């Protein structure tokens, strides 16, 4: 039995709502599943509420036992910081800037990486990197 992490569609017409599920690859999209791992709402409310919620420990468990994420779930897990970028996204052939920005998993808003301060390694010497090499 091959286990897939995939989306099951809920909601009404023109108002989709998805659940992230671990399911047998042979079962239908909205059919029998093994476990509900979270949700994804592509249409957030006017208050900017949560867009996705995941049980990270259970997602990591299913990935560790060999479950394969579908392409949409792989993008969601990348945006949540669980997986590395998908192959097509890393090559820059598909997707736009909104797909490359890491997203905060609880709020659904892009993370502001410009305001993050990265501290240099204190063991590195500062003089070595600043001096240009001169050929005499």
């Amino acid at each position: 039995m091959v286990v897939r992490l995939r989306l099951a569609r809920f909601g009404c017409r023109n108002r989709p709502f998805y659940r992230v599920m671990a399911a047998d690859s042979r079962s239908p999209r909205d059919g029998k599943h093994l476990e509900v791992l979270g949700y994804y709402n592509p249409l957030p409310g006017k208050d900017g509420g949560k867009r996705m919620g995941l049980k990270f420990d259970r997602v990591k468990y299913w990935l560790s036992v060999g479950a394969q994420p579908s392409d949409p779930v792989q993008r969601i897990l990348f945006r949540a910081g669980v997986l590395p970028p998908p192959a097509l996204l890393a090559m820059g052939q598909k997707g736009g800037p909104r797909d490359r920005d890491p997203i905060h998993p609880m709020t659904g808003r892009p993370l502001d990486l410009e305001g993050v301060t990265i501290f240099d390694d204190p063991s590195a010497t500062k003089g070595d990197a600043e001096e240009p090499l001169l050929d005499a």
Side-chain angles (χ1 to χ4, degrees):
M1 174 173 82
V2 178
V3 177
R4 300 278 306 198
L5 303 182
R6 63 180 178 204
L7 298 176
R9 185 182 163 127
F10 290 89
C12 56
R13 186 170 42 126
N14 296 329
R15 303 284 299 167
F17 181 82
Y18 299 96
R19 287 186 184 160
V20 180
M21 297 189 169
D24 183 9
S25 62
R26 297 170 291 183
S27 65
R29 179 191 72 180
D30 299 334
K32 186 177 177 183
H33 61 275
L34 300 172
E35 183 177 0
V36 176
L37 302 174
Y39 67 90
Y40 171 66
N41 186 3
L43 304 173
K46 292 181 182 178
D47 60 347
K50 294 182 182 178
R51 292 188 63 179
M52 72 173 119
L54 295 170
K55 299 176 186 175
F56 290 108
D57 55 339
R58 297 304 298 167
V59 169
K60 289 179 183 178
Y61 165 77
W62 281 110
L63 291 172
S64 69
V65 296
Q68 297 294 318
S70 65
D71 290 339
V73 172
Q74 190 173 12
R75 284 193 300 269
I76 289 172
L77 294 178
F78 160 65
R79 293 175 74 182
V82 177
L83 288 179
L88 289 177
L89 194 60
M91 292 172 28
Q93 293 179 356
K94 185 175 180 182
R98 64 181 177 87
D99 289 332
R100 293 192 179 112
D101 294 336
I103 301 294
H104 190 275
M106 296 302 157
T107 62
R109 296 190 175 107
L111 290 175
D112 181 23
L113 297 180
E114 294 175 5
V116 176
T117 305
I118 299 174
F119 295 100
D120 293 330
D121 185 17
S123 62
T125 59
K126 294 181 181 179
D128 295 339
E130 295 176 2
E131 295 179 21
L133 295 174
L134 298 174
D135 292 332

